[in-house]
Amino acid sequence: MAQKLPKMKMFIDTYVPVTTCNLRCHYCYITQKRLFSKKLPSFKYSPETVSKAVLQERFGGVCHFNICGGGETLLPPQMTDYIRVILEQGHYVMVVTNGTVAKRFDEILRLPEELLIRLGFKFSYHYSELKKKGLMKLFFRNIQKVREAGCSFSLELIPCDEAIPLIEEIMQLSKEKVGAPCHVTIARDDASPIRDKPILSQLSRKDYENTWNVFDSEMFSYKLSIFGEKRKEFCYAGAWSAYLNLGTGNIQQCYCNFSRKWNLFEDTQKPVKRIPIGRQCSQPHCYNGHAFLTLGIIPEHKSISYDRIRNRVTSGGDEWLNPEMKAFLSQKLKDANTEYSSVQKFWHNLRYSFLIRSLKGLRWK
């Protein structure tokens, strides 16, 4: 008998503090801010401690962990064990990677099949860099290894003006190797002094849309629809989601954060704090809303489901997401959580506005 699919209790966006990478993409925010380091990061807490810290009982159920580094996520050798212990606790994991660290894939794919079915990889398609450094064959070979092992995967391109003349060959190679065009995301100009973090392109927004729409990517069309749109609804980030630093154990509500600093790994017996942002979001727009919003962090916001942002049906009828991962990512967070009443929202926002005033100038760095 097939096991019943668990409901998604929380989305844990997990940051790996690595700013080292074997690629040098100009559109990367680490490049834009000149944060590259030649050293691999240290991790304050062992995989064994992390394993105890991510027990389902602490979160109230099964979570979706998105694991992403500032540089290349899979460069630190410890990543195999951190991924393993999170999977062993029954959670679902997606790992963002440039797809070139073959040794790490070989290590991870030796994990038991029952863990790999809940694991997926978001392969960043850095076409020009992969081509320049002769890594294209290695890149797609690692994707093939992942598929054969039963994991899910997604392929996404960061659009840049320099790649426009290469669109046809980028799309053709994607179709040849993975059976469908890659998805397309949106690059932000993080070096811009403009607080709204504009799109990283010299094109007008309309021309930008027309240029990259040829990939027919639901990720691109959805991200563009919310880009620059200030969120004013009641947001459950902090209650239904969290932003976790895997290196330090520090956890916060979101990229914007108003609650006081606390540590998920320090005392594994403490319950997880769940304090929503509410209507106090400080960001100009939800720039990773393709995950947060599609998973339903703002219930009244109508969007497609997150599996559609990541999945593709290939020319042969296969899909990039395996059936279990697809079903899990198609859920909304409200299915496993209780929404506040109107009165609760009012009092939460009132208390929170006083807290923000008392902490004026205090922001997570």
Side-chain angles (χ1 to χ4, degrees), residues 84-146:
R84 173 181 57 80
V85 298
I86 295 171
L87 288 169
E88 285 175 343
Q89 296 304 333
H91 303 296
Y92 288 70
V93 176
M94 292 288 278
V95 180
V96 179
T97 175
N98 68 21
T100 64
V101 189
K103 180 180 180 181
R104 205 70 65 237
F105 285 105
D106 291 340
E107 292 171 356
I108 294 169
L109 296 180
R110 285 196 285 267
L111 294 175
E113 183 179 347
E114 61 267 23
L115 300 185
L116 295 180
I117 200 169
R118 287 183 280 103
L119 175 63
F121 295 90
K122 301 174 182 177
F123 287 93
S124 298
Y125 195 16
H126 302 299
Y127 187 84
S128 296
E129 279 287 291
L130 292 169
K131 189 175 182 179
K132 182 173 69 176
K133 297 196 173 184
L135 295 170
M136 198 71 77
K137 287 184 179 180
L138 174 66
F139 176 77
F140 282 108
R141 188 160 60 244
N142 286 331
I143 294 180
Q144 187 59 32
K145 286 180 183 179
V146 163

Side-chain angles (χ1 to χ4, degrees), residues 70-240:
E72 169 46 34
T73 309
L74 294 180
L75 280 176
Q78 302 96 324
M79 290 311 301
T80 300
D81 286 330
Y82 285 119
I83 292 168
R84 173 181 57 80
V85 298
I86 295 171
L87 288 169
E88 285 175 343
Q89 296 304 333
H91 303 296
Y92 288 70
V93 176
M94 292 288 278
V95 180
V96 179
T97 175
N98 68 21
T100 64
V101 189
K103 180 180 180 181
R104 205 70 65 237
F105 285 105
D106 291 340
E107 292 171 356
I108 294 169
L109 296 180
R110 285 196 285 267
L111 294 175
E113 183 179 347
E114 61 267 23
L115 300 185
L116 295 180
I117 200 169
R118 287 183 280 103
L119 175 63
F121 295 90
K122 301 174 182 177
F123 287 93
S124 298
Y125 195 16
H126 302 299
Y127 187 84
S128 296
E129 279 287 291
L130 292 169
K131 189 175 182 179
K132 182 173 69 176
K133 297 196 173 184
L135 295 170
M136 198 71 77
K137 287 184 179 180
L138 174 66
F139 176 77
F140 282 108
R141 188 160 60 244
N142 286 331
I143 294 180
Q144 187 59 32
K145 286 180 183 179
V146 163
R147 298 180 83 174
E148 291 174 353
C151 299
S152 298
F153 81 95
S154 187
L155 180 64
E156 71 177 72
L157 176 77
I158 298 178
C160 61
D161 293 354
E162 293 79 4
I164 292 174
L166 306 174
I167 284 178
E168 187 174 341
E169 65 179 80
I170 290 171
M171 189 184 300
Q172 184 57 40
L173 186 60
S174 177
K175 289 179 179 179
E176 177 188 328
K177 295 296 186 180
V178 295
C182 57
H183 276 299
V184 180
T185 184
I186 293 178
R188 302 185 311 276
D189 187 354
D190 283 320
S192 171
I194 302 174
R195 184 176 178 274
D196 287 351
K197 303 298 181 192
I199 294 172
L200 184 63
S201 176
Q202 296 300 312
L203 299 177
S204 68
R205 182 158 175 154
K206 188 64 178 176
D207 288 342
Y208 185 81
E209 179 179 7
N210 290 338
T211 298
W212 297 104
N213 257 343
V214 295
F215 286 85
D216 192 26
S217 168
E218 290 196 271
M219 171 185 279
F220 179 73
S221 57
Y222 179 72
K223 287 195 75 169
L224 196 62
S225 74
I226 61 171
F227 199 95
E229 189 176 90
K230 174 70 175 175
R231 306 309 329 169
K232 298 179 181 179
E233 308 96 329
F234 191 94
C235 178
Y236 286 91
W240 299 356

Side-chain angles (χ1 to χ4, degrees), residues 244-264:
L244 171 66
N245 187 314
L246 189 62
T248 64
N250 289 337
I251 191 167
Q252 63 189 69
Q253 293 157 303
C254 190
Y255 305 114
C256 74
N257 181 67
F258 296 115
S259 66
R260 293 188 181 277
K261 178 179 178 179
W262 72 286
N263 192 296
L264 183 69

Side-chain angles (χ1 to χ4, degrees), residues 195 230-231 235 237-238 241-243 251-259 275-287 292 352 356 362-365:
R195 184 176 178 274
K230 174 70 175 175
R231 306 309 329 169
C235 178
S241 71
Y243 183 62
I251 191 167
Q252 63 189 69
Q253 293 157 303
C254 190
Y255 305 114
C256 74
N257 181 67
F258 296 115
S259 66
I275 306 171
I277 290 290
R279 292 193 176 90
Q280 309 295 335
C281 182
S282 64
Q283 298 299 304
H285 65 271
C286 189
Y287 53 80
F292 287 94
Y352 217 35
I356 293 169
L362 178 61
R363 295 290 184 272
W364 280 73
K365 301 297 184 185

Side-chain angles (χ1 to χ4, degrees), residues 19 22 31 45 103 152 221 237 244 263 290 330 351 356:
T19 53
N22 55 338
T31 301
Y45 298 90
K103 180 180 180 181
S152 298
S221 57
L244 171 66
N263 192 296
H290 67 286
S330 70
R351 288 195 301 268
I356 293 169

